[in-house]
Amino acid sequence: MKAGVLNKINEIEYQEIDKPILNDDDILVKVKAAALCGTDVRIFRGSKTKGVRYPSVIGHEFSGEIIEVGSAVTKFLVGDRVTADPVLPCGGCEYCLNGLENVCLNREALGYEYDGCFAEYIRIPGKFIERGNVQLLSDTISYKAAALAEPLACVINGQRRLNITTGNNVLIIGAGPIGIMHMLIARASGASKIIISEPNDYRRNVAKKLGATIVINPTENDLLKTVQECTNGIGADVVILAIGNTRIVNDALSCAKKGGRVSIFAGFPKGAKPEVDINLVHYNELVVTGASSLQRRDIKIVPEFD
């Protein structure tokens, strides 16, 4: 089969490799659509190395059709349309036992320990199936849309900590695919005003078309001043940093109102150490949270957004 093989840092080669051989409890999925994650880019560039093997097939955002099932598989059939949560928690560590399986100490993942989706076919090991990581798709969801189930589930997991409610003013910094997903989920959660900060003209236009209340070009307009004008001088109830840029962390903190919630959602390159004005957190009593991966329950509700 054809696959994009990561041979070393900064080298992916499109080449012929052996088609995966199934164990009795595995399934084989023909990849119909795959998405490129910022994490994949960091793996390619060498700024993320944990769990990465050379050579290997990376990629973890995908959808496809089951074309083969092992003899012991009973939950799925050939022809089923599926996507998957690529992260497999151990189920028994301190974090798994306390509702934080997404930061499991012993987790494994497709695209890391197991070959990923940048190939014609991907093998889903039996333990992923047994623990509920594989999700059936309805016929109404396109393969392209379903390939975004994993990042959308990550957004849902990240917003769970923010408790966005009816009437909240939300600032999202960055209007790439993740920022747009944050905007849509925030709107579905009841946010009344969603402010998007994005320097790219095309992405700003997309955000506006999809429902942003206000879009800002931070290279031409003062972000803090604009946010305050939009919120009667108070600041945003919720700020989501959806781009891993060390230079704008303080901007995100500055735009939150006193007692506001700030999500450092985006991942940063390994070793990135932004200078943070800690007084913004201290005196404004900000609640600052991170976001890591997703939980299996998140990917199971994604089809509801079709």
Side-chain angles (χ1 to χ4, degrees):
M1 68 173 183
K2 294 293 186 181
V5 179
L6 178 70
N7 290 311
K8 60 183 180 179
I9 293 172
N10 290 325
E11 181 183 301
I12 289 182
E13 182 179 358
Y14 185 61
Q15 63 187 61
E16 188 77 27
I17 63 173
D18 292 337
K19 187 177 177 180
I21 298 175
L22 299 189
N23 297 314
D24 290 344
D25 56 351
D26 298 343
I27 61 175
L28 187 66
V29 176
K30 181 176 178 58
V31 177
K32 294 289 191 176
L36 181 67
C37 177
T39 300
D40 297 320
V41 176
R42 293 199 299 275
I43 290 172
F44 173 73
R45 292 175 176 170
S47 60
K48 181 176 177 62
T49 57
K50 184 178 180 180
V52 178
R53 298 169 293 115
Y54 304 100
S56 69
V57 179
I58 62 172
H60 57 274
E61 300 176 0
F62 72 98
S63 64
E65 177 186 353
I66 296 176
I67 63 163
E68 186 179 345
V69 298
S71 60
V73 175
T74 59
K75 295 182 179 180
F76 296 95
L77 301 171
V78 170
D80 283 344
R81 306 169 77 247
V82 295
T83 186
D85 176 352
V87 179
L88 185 72
C90 72
C93 71
E94 173 72 15
Y95 297 116
C96 285
L97 294 175
N98 286 280
L100 290 169
E101 66 174 32
N102 53 307
V103 291
C104 168
L105 287 172
N106 309 302
R107 67 182 185 175
E108 300 175 292
L110 302 174
Y112 295 83
E113 287 81 12
Y114 301 93
D115 278 349
C117 64
F118 293 164
E120 288 185 84
Y121 306 98
I122 180 171
R123 178 180 74 92
I124 311 295
K127 54 187 174 181
F128 283 77
I129 301 166
E130 183 63 29
R131 297 183 196 174
N133 284 60
V134 181
Q135 173 69 34
L136 280 171
L137 302 172
S138 73
D139 291 336
T140 61
I141 300 177
S142 71
Y143 283 118
K144 285 184 178 181
L148 298 175
E150 192 270 353
L152 180 57
C154 290
V155 168
I156 293 170
N157 174 65
Q159 286 204 19
R160 184 178 292 113
R161 292 180 172 274
L162 295 173
N163 192 31
I164 296 173
T165 57
T166 302
N168 279 172
N169 294 322
V170 178
L171 167 66
I172 300 170
I173 301 176
I178 291 296
I180 294 295
M181 290 180 190
H182 270 295
M183 181 186 74
L184 296 175
I185 298 301
R187 178 69 74 197
S189 298
S192 63
K193 185 177 292 182
I194 300 178
I195 307 163
I196 297 287
S197 174
E198 169 59 54
N200 182 278
D201 292 341
Y202 175 79
R203 290 182 170 184
R204 280 199 315 280
N205 289 334
V206 170
K208 187 66 176 178
K209 181 179 179 180
L210 293 179
T213 312
I214 298 164
V215 294
I216 302 169
N217 183 344
T219 65
E220 297 179 356
N221 303 101
D222 186 296
L223 177 60
L224 177 57
K225 181 180 178 181
T226 305
V227 170
Q228 288 181 332
E229 289 174 350
C230 295
T231 59
N232 297 317
I234 295 175
D237 297 282
V238 173
V239 178
I240 300 170
L241 184 58
I243 181 171
N245 185 332
T246 59
R247 294 175 296 176
I248 57 177
V249 173
N250 284 328
D251 292 341
L253 298 175
S254 297
C255 289
K257 75 174 189 180
K258 294 179 185 293
R261 290 97 70 195
V262 179
S263 173
I264 309 298
F265 183 88
F268 286 74
K270 183 179 180 180
K273 296 180 180 180
E275 292 187 9
V276 176
D277 183 352
I278 202 65
N279 279 336
L280 292 170
V281 178
H282 174 66
Y283 287 110
N284 293 333
E285 296 193 357
L286 300 182
V287 177
V288 182
T289 184
S292 180
S293 193
L294 70 156
Q295 299 193 21
R296 287 168 293 178
R297 58 177 169 167
D298 303 318
I299 206 163
K300 291 186 181 301
I301 67 172
V302 163
E304 297 179 14
F305 295 94
D306 178 43

